[in-house]
Amino acid sequence: QQYCPLMIITLGQQPTYIINANQLHEIATYPAKAVDQLGAGDALVGAFLYALQTKNVIESAAFANRVASEAVSHWGARLPLEILKNFSV
């Protein structure tokens, strides 16, 4: 707790776990047909930090899971701009 007040554990298609203030939260993932996992973790962390500007930790993790599930559904480390336009926090 002193050195790591927030921990996020991802397990692919299994739920994401958030440990925050000695509480464990399970965040559902979104179904995805994975074609390329390159950049999925970066997409998740980037989306989480972006959402954290206006959302709480749990809402930010749910948003990040949605972005990551979309990221693995496309080839390459970046989502196409037309897909990104569909996401809002």
Side-chain angles (χ1 to χ4, degrees):
Q1 180 77 21
Q2 178 183 353
Y3 299 107
C4 186
L6 173 67
M7 184 182 301
I8 302 171
I9 302 168
T10 62
L11 302 166
Q13 292 179 337
Q14 296 179 29
T16 296
Y17 293 95
I18 303 286
I19 301 170
N20 185 19
N22 292 328
Q23 294 181 343
L24 176 66
H25 304 277
E26 184 177 299
I27 312 298
T29 55
Y30 289 80
K33 182 178 179 184
V35 296
D36 187 4
Q37 295 178 356
L38 182 66
D42 293 334
L44 183 127
V45 171
F48 178 78
L49 293 173
Y50 176 74
L52 203 53
Q53 296 176 72
T54 58
K55 304 288 184 190
N56 67 38
V57 169
I58 305 305
E59 294 168 331
S60 296
F63 176 76
N65 275 351
R66 192 165 64 104
V67 171
S69 71
E70 192 66 44
V72 299
S73 300
H74 295 85
W75 287 103
R78 288 186 174 175
L79 285 171
L81 186 56
E82 61 271 9
I83 300 294
L84 285 174
K85 290 179 181 179
N86 295 327
F87 289 99
S88 63
V89 179

